[in-house]
Amino acid sequence: MTTASFTRRGILVATPLVLGAGTLAACSNSGSASSPDDGGKNGGTLTIFTTGEEMSFDPATSQNLAITTLGLTARRLTSWKTPADAPTELIPDLATDVGTPSKGGQTWTFTLQEGLQFEDGTPITAGTVKYGLERSFASELTGGLTYHKVLLEGGADYAGPFSDEHLDSIETPDDLTLVFHLNRPYGDFGWIASTPAFAPVPEDSGEPETYATEPVASGPYRLESYSPGSHATLVRNETWDVETDQARLGGPDSIEFSLAQDASVVAQAIIADRSDSQDAFLASFVPTAQLVQAQNDPNVGDRLVTSGPGALEYLALNTESDALKDVKVRQAIQYAVDKEAYRTAKGGEISGDYATTLITPGIAGREEYSLYADDPTGDVDQATALLEETGAGDLTLRLVITDDQTGTAESVQQGLKRAGITVTIQPLDENAYSSEVTAGDGSAYDLVLSSWQPDVPSPNANLTPLFDSSQIGHGNYNLARYDNPDVDAAILEASSTLDPEEAHAKWAAVDQQILEDSPVVPLIYSKNSFIHGSGVEKFVIGEFPAYPNYLTVELG
């Protein structure tokens, strides 16, 4: 989620996302991390309480992570294995492997497993995966992730398959083979193939707008009924075979999404372990009051699951602002910010770890370093010295926030005040925020509080959306409006590198290269707390992402 109070996930051509189902992460877990190889326990109805009022099961419009809601009904070419005590692993899903690159990483080939079927018994073929991807380009279907759209040859000019046009850069030489031709080498395409658009869709699936509530399942569950504001009921897809699926256990007989729920009320019921909440979990963060209650209730125990460090929360410095064009002024802000006060305003130690890097924990390629104040309270003397060096006196900056960020904004305001910087706080509603910040020309703000949860565990998904100059404005999330041609070139080189170790070293260097320019102040890597009933097992949150793996949850 990234806008002030939301955590937007990384996208190359961004579309807004608010994760109504919450953000989860790793540390403690109820039950041990399991492998789908054990076949799972079968039976019962799992209830997932969510604050969201509506759901969509169309992969073309989804920004779901590989391990959350849509992964229950729609398989992709690849998926993720998320053990609690090891890095997230890219694994095959529909495909037999995680992709074979050629032509220096500009062509990628995947082979499907034989015998896979949709819920109606029709075969899942390379053509249905191609059609599913092509649908995501249609103007009728918006909101989905767009990595593949900017990577596939001809993608910029393609308008979808509904007028019988097809994308030639996706080849299907036979029913089991897909060949993707990219417009440049790209080392992480195996991860991109785990995003929702890589789910198969039958070509006779009906009108494009109806698929969101009439999907044809390829995963262990199919949609039986759906009522906005009330529920979505998933039941077993009898054509799904656990032996073909490394990512999913398919344990419960059915899964009931209970929509439009009050998180505080649900949290209270689960804390009390009421009979109607024992086989359930809350898909949003435990609200602060209930979090304190759960921590102090010995009957809750390990049913309260707190993640390890996850999404990066940061202060974006508008590099186009006249007041912030001087890099030394921006570096002074690095020293002046009081990260301890910020974390306290968020709820203290349980809310996150102090951040000093841009690549987040749990992502391969991250290197720990600190360019600025090692003390989380800051270094006011160093900040003042830098400001005096630049001659920046009587500095007044406008900090844009959403309505629920007042406490954290005030902590930033007070920290900068120590160095003689005046901060005025301007709350905006979501529409105003979008028009003035993500879609605006940058003239409306100096500072923005935000956060970022990548879509895939790759430094590319951390750094490109926030710092590549192509992501300035137009609804994108380079909120610092940071434009450095050398960094753009370094990002391109790192993302084009196939060897993982070589790519990791390049990304680590890009991380520091960006932060030397100080376009953002890393604040904390947020931790999130979730709660489940006593009947829920294998509620596992891995090192990445900061979410529970819905695909492996079982009932005791």
Side-chain angles (χ1 to χ4, degrees):
M1 310 166 190
T2 182
T3 76
S5 61
F6 322 126
T7 301
R8 297 224 201 275
R9 299 206 297 260
I11 33 187
L12 293 182
V13 177
T15 15
L17 169 70
V18 179
L19 292 178
T23 316
L24 318 157
C27 206
S28 63
N29 62 287
S30 173
S32 59
S34 66
S35 166
D37 296 338
D38 66 11
K41 295 180 181 179
N42 295 326
T45 296
L46 170 68
T47 298
I48 301 176
F49 293 106
T50 175
T51 58
E53 296 188 359
E54 297 183 353
M55 297 183 71
S56 169
F57 292 87
D58 191 336
T61 62
S62 174
Q63 296 188 17
N64 260 208
L65 295 170
I67 59 168
T68 54
T69 305
L70 196 69
L72 297 166
T73 60
R75 299 177 68 173
R76 301 98 188 266
L77 287 180
T78 62
S79 191
W80 307 349
K81 184 177 182 179
T82 59
D85 54 359
T88 293
E89 178 185 350
L90 182 67
I91 58 175
D93 192 356
L94 295 173
T96 58
D97 58 27
V98 295
T100 302
S102 57
K103 296 185 178 179
Q106 198 158 337
T107 298
W108 284 76
T109 301
F110 294 82
T111 302
L112 299 184
Q113 299 181 65
E114 295 187 35
L116 301 177
Q117 297 179 343
F118 288 106
E119 64 175 84
D120 61 2
T122 58
I124 295 172
T125 64
T128 62
V129 177
K130 174 182 170 76
Y131 182 69
L133 269 170
E134 290 178 336
R135 289 177 76 254
S136 70
F137 286 84
S139 59
E140 297 95 326
L141 302 172
T142 61
L145 299 176
T146 55
Y147 296 97
H148 59 287
K149 295 182 184 180
V150 298
L151 287 170
L152 288 167
E153 283 184 354
D157 301 317
Y158 182 59
F162 301 132
S163 58
D164 294 326
E165 297 290 331
H166 296 282
L167 190 57
D168 293 338
S169 56
I170 308 173
E171 288 189 291
T172 55
D174 56 56
D175 281 348
L176 297 179
T177 306
L178 288 130
V179 183
F180 297 96
H181 298 278
L182 312 184
N183 51 32
R184 66 178 180 87
Y186 194 81
D188 281 338
F189 198 73
W191 288 108
I192 302 305
S194 71
T195 57
F198 286 78
V201 175
E203 288 197 44
D204 60 354
S205 56
E207 294 298 318
E209 295 86 352
T210 65
Y211 197 80
T213 55
E214 298 176 12
V216 184
S218 54
Y221 299 97
R222 60 180 177 82
L223 181 63
E224 181 182 60
S225 64
Y226 169 65
S227 176
S230 176
H231 75 278
T233 301
L234 307 183
V235 296
R236 286 197 182 280
N237 170 16
E238 298 297 341
T239 68
W240 172 79
D241 182 358
V242 68
E243 297 300 324
T244 70
D245 198 328
Q246 298 184 39
R248 300 162 184 81
L249 289 177
D253 283 331
S254 60
I255 298 177
E256 182 86 2
F257 284 89
S258 184
L259 308 179
Q261 297 296 306
D262 182 299
S264 296
V265 173
V266 171
Q268 287 278 13
I270 297 178
I271 288 171
D273 206 27
R274 282 184 358 197
S275 59
D276 60 353
S277 302
Q278 289 176 350
D279 291 349
F281 68 84
L282 175 61
S284 57
F285 310 144
V286 179
T288 302
Q290 286 71 45
L291 178 58
V292 173
Q293 178 185 352
Q295 287 177 299
N296 294 322
D297 188 337
N299 295 318
V300 172
D302 62 4
R303 294 193 293 114
L304 178 68
V305 183
T306 298
S307 76
L312 174 68
E313 299 190 24
Y314 63 95
L315 178 69
L317 316 180
N318 184 350
T319 57
E320 293 181 354
S321 165
D322 288 339
L324 297 174
K325 286 183 177 179
D326 191 325
V327 66
K328 289 186 177 180
V329 172
R330 301 197 300 269
Q331 290 171 341
I333 292 174
Q334 294 277 359
Y335 288 104
V337 165
D338 186 343
K339 297 179 185 180
E340 183 176 292
Y342 178 88
R343 189 171 77 165
T344 298
K346 291 283 292 186
E349 185 176 354
I350 198 171
S351 67
D353 291 352
Y354 297 121
T356 60
T357 73
L358 304 174
I359 299 174
T360 50
I363 292 184
R366 178 177 184 268
E367 291 185 4
E368 188 74 44
Y369 68 91
S370 178
L371 293 184
Y372 301 103
D374 292 326
D375 185 338
T377 64
D379 185 337
V380 177
D381 291 341
Q382 182 64 23
T384 303
L386 281 168
L387 290 173
E388 289 177 352
E389 187 177 335
T390 64
D394 299 323
L395 195 60
T396 298
L397 303 175
R398 182 175 184 242
L399 170 59
V400 167
I401 63 168
T402 54
D403 291 332
D404 58 351
Q405 288 186 295
T406 302
T408 51
E410 288 176 349
S411 74
V412 171
Q413 182 185 54
Q414 293 162 10
L416 297 191
K417 184 178 180 180
R418 300 175 304 168
I421 301 172
T422 300
V423 173
T424 60
I425 299 172
Q426 177 65 57
L428 298 175
D429 62 29
E430 187 177 354
N431 290 333
Y433 182 98
S434 176
S435 64
E436 293 193 28
V437 179
T438 57
D441 61 6
S443 62
Y445 66 94
D446 300 302
L447 309 172
V448 182
L449 279 173
S450 192
S451 62
W452 191 257
Q453 169 69 58
D455 290 301
V456 297
S458 161
N460 188 17
N462 266 124
L463 302 182
T464 301
L466 301 186
F467 303 107
D468 192 284
S469 64
S470 67
Q471 302 303 295
I472 296 173
H474 307 291
N476 296 307
Y477 295 105
N478 183 342
L479 304 185
R481 307 187 71 85
Y482 177 65
D483 185 351
N484 183 331
D486 291 338
V487 167
D488 287 350
I491 286 175
L492 179 61
E493 181 179 346
S495 65
S496 301
T497 301
L498 290 180
D499 180 79
E501 294 303 318
E502 185 181 349
H504 294 163
K506 290 178 179 180
W507 283 118
V510 174
D511 189 325
Q512 293 198 42
Q513 183 181 3
I514 294 168
L515 207 49
E516 286 170 357
D517 276 348
S518 188
V520 303
V521 179
L523 297 169
I524 64 172
Y525 308 115
S526 60
K527 295 180 181 179
N528 306 303
S529 295
F530 300 84
I531 193 163
H532 63 78
S534 60
V536 173
E537 296 185 352
K538 296 180 181 175
F539 190 86
V540 177
I541 302 173
E543 293 184 5
F544 179 95
Y547 295 78
N549 191 331
Y550 290 19
L551 311 186
T552 59
V553 171
E554 295 181 339
L555 298 176

